Amino acid sequence: MDRFRTRFEVLDERFRRVNGDEWVECLWTGGRWLEGPAWFPAGRYLVFSDIPNDRLLRWDETTGAVGVFRQPAGYANGHTVDRRGRLVSCEQGRRRVTRTEPDGTDTVLADRWKGLRLNSPNDVVEHSDGSIWFTDPSYGIDSDYEGHRGESEIGGNHVYRVDPRDGEVHLVADDFEQPNGLAFSADESVLYIVDTRARHLRRFEVTEDGRLRGGAVFATCDAGSFDGVRLDEAGRVWVAAHDGLHCFDPDGTLLGKLHLPEVVANFTFGGPKRNHLYICASSSLFTLRVNVNGARYPGC
C-alpha cells in the first residue's frame, strides 16, 4: 500500500474548508505498534517508536529512507523535541523519562515520584518555562508485550510535571484511569489530556505556578479510544482514534474526521510550515500535506 485516497468526513460546516493532498502516502510499514512521532526541523527527519520491537526508527525526508535510530530503546513510547532540539522520550521498559544530549548520552529527567518508581511513562510535552509534563499509565508494566511485566509502586496512573529549576517531580493530576496523550494550547493556558480507558479527552487550565485546575471532559470518543493529541494554529484539537484523526473546535464540537485504514496511535505536525501530518497508525507511517498548520508555541 503506497498510497490511498484521502477521505475527510465533514460533520460540521466549519470543517469543510479543512483539506489537503488528494492522496495519503504510506512512508513505511512493517511495525508491530508504532507510536510517538517527533519531527526534527533542522535535520528534516522524523523519529518514531516501534514499541513491541523495542526500537526507535528514523525517516529521512531528503532520501525517504527509514532506518533504526536506536535499539534497544527501553520500549520507548511518546517523544517530544525540546526547545534546544533535543529528543525527550518516555521509556516504558525502563520506567523513566529521558533526554538525549547532543553527544548521544541520556539524562534521566524522571524515574521516581516520592521515592517510588514510575509505572511506564507514555507521552510528554515541554512548557516554555522548561518544565516537562508527562503521563504515566500502566501499559508498560501490564505485560511483556510493550515493556516488562511488573507491579505499580505508586498504585495509580497519574500525570506529572518536572520542575526545571530543581528537577523535582510533582503530581499534577491523580484522577485518571489511563492517562495518555497530552498537548498545550498555543498560549499554554490550557492542557488537554486523554484518558484512554475512559475514552475521553479532558481540558485543564494551567496556573502560573505550574498546577492544573478544572479537568472537565472536553470530548468523548465515538470510535474506540483516543490516544495522541495535537492542536493547530486555529486552536482546533486533533485527536487520534481507531478510525483516524478526529478534529474538534475549541468549543468542543466534533467538526470532522480524517479517516485512516489502521488504528491511529499518535501523530504530529511537521515540515518547514508545520503543515505535514505524520501519522503512526498500528503498523504503518502515513503522511499528507494539509491546508492547516500545527500550533506554534512560545520559544519554538
Side-chain angles (χ1 to χ4, degrees):
M1 177 176 54
D2 296 325
R3 64 177 190 168
F4 56 91
R5 192 172 295 278
T6 304
R7 182 187 166 205
F8 284 101
E9 180 185 5
V10 176
L11 299 173
D12 184 286
E13 284 301 310
R14 289 171 290 179
F15 193 67
R16 193 167 296 282
R17 57 182 174 267
V18 175
N19 212 318
D21 291 337
E22 185 177 355
W23 300 91
V24 177
E25 296 179 69
C26 180
L27 298 176
W28 184 82
T29 191
R32 292 186 184 275
W33 180 248
L34 302 186
E35 255 281 8
W39 173 253
F40 285 80
R44 293 174 62 185
Y45 63 86
L46 186 85
V47 170
F48 57 103
S49 299
D50 183 4
I51 303 175
N53 285 324
D54 193 18
R55 61 183 178 175
L56 299 187
L57 299 171
R58 177 183 182 271
W59 173 76
D60 189 319
E61 183 191 37
T62 64
T63 65
V66 173
V68 175
F69 181 81
R70 180 180 299 159
Q71 190 175 28
Y75 291 93
N77 191 325
H79 309 276
T80 194
V81 180
D82 73 9
R83 283 159 173 79
R84 294 177 60 183
R86 299 170 296 185
L87 179 68
V88 178
S89 303
C90 291
E91 299 182 13
Q92 294 188 157
R94 299 186 182 113
R95 301 170 73 159
R96 65 186 191 177
V97 179
T98 60
R99 183 179 64 224
T100 301
E101 306 298 345
D103 64 1
T105 60
D106 287 335
T107 297
V108 178
L109 302 179
D111 61 357
R112 294 177 183 271
W113 173 67
K114 292 188 175 181
L116 303 173
R117 291 186 73 191
L118 299 173
N119 296 327
S120 58
N122 183 280
D123 206 357
V124 58
V125 290
E126 183 196 31
H127 190 278
S128 60
D129 66 5
S131 58
I132 299 295
W133 300 64
F134 67 94
T135 54
D136 187 41
S138 63
Y139 299 122
I141 60 174
D142 286 342
S143 73
D144 292 319
Y145 184 71
E146 52 181 313
H148 305 292
R149 185 189 299 274
E151 297 297 324
S152 173
E153 295 185 10
I154 294 172
N157 305 316
H158 307 320
V159 184
Y160 300 92
R161 174 184 181 270
V162 183
D163 193 299
R165 296 167 298 180
D166 56 14
E168 185 174 352
V169 178
H170 298 273
L171 188 152
V172 293
D174 62 359
D175 58 346
F176 280 79
E177 295 184 47
Q178 288 284 25
N180 201 311
L182 70 173
F184 285 111
S185 61
D187 63 2
E188 301 179 321
S189 66
V190 172
L191 181 63
Y192 295 92
I193 310 176
V194 166
D195 192 329
T196 300
R197 182 169 293 169
R199 301 177 63 240
H200 61 220
L201 174 66
R202 297 172 62 186
R203 182 185 186 279
F204 292 86
E205 297 176 16
V206 182
T207 66
E208 292 185 1
D209 60 353
R211 300 176 186 272
L212 296 181
R213 185 170 55 209
V217 173
F218 173 78
T220 300
C221 188
D222 64 4
S225 300
F226 287 145
D227 200 324
V229 56
R230 295 287 188 273
L231 275 75
D232 65 25
E233 273 192 338
R236 290 177 293 243
V237 183
W238 296 73
V239 197
H242 286 199
D243 59 350
L245 299 182
H246 295 192
C247 181
F248 293 88
D249 189 79
D251 67 11
T253 303
L254 177 59
L255 300 176
K257 300 181 180 184
L258 169 61
H259 287 276
L260 280 301
E262 299 181 31
V263 173
V264 178
N266 214 331
F267 65 102
T268 193
F269 289 96
K273 296 182 179 180
R274 307 180 317 284
N275 63 345
H276 283 75
L277 277 173
Y278 294 105
I279 303 164
C280 288
S282 300
S283 62
S284 304
L285 175 65
F286 299 115
T287 189
L288 77 157
R289 187 182 302 188
V290 291
N291 65 351
V292 301
N293 306 81
R296 184 184 292 277
Y297 292 96
C300 290

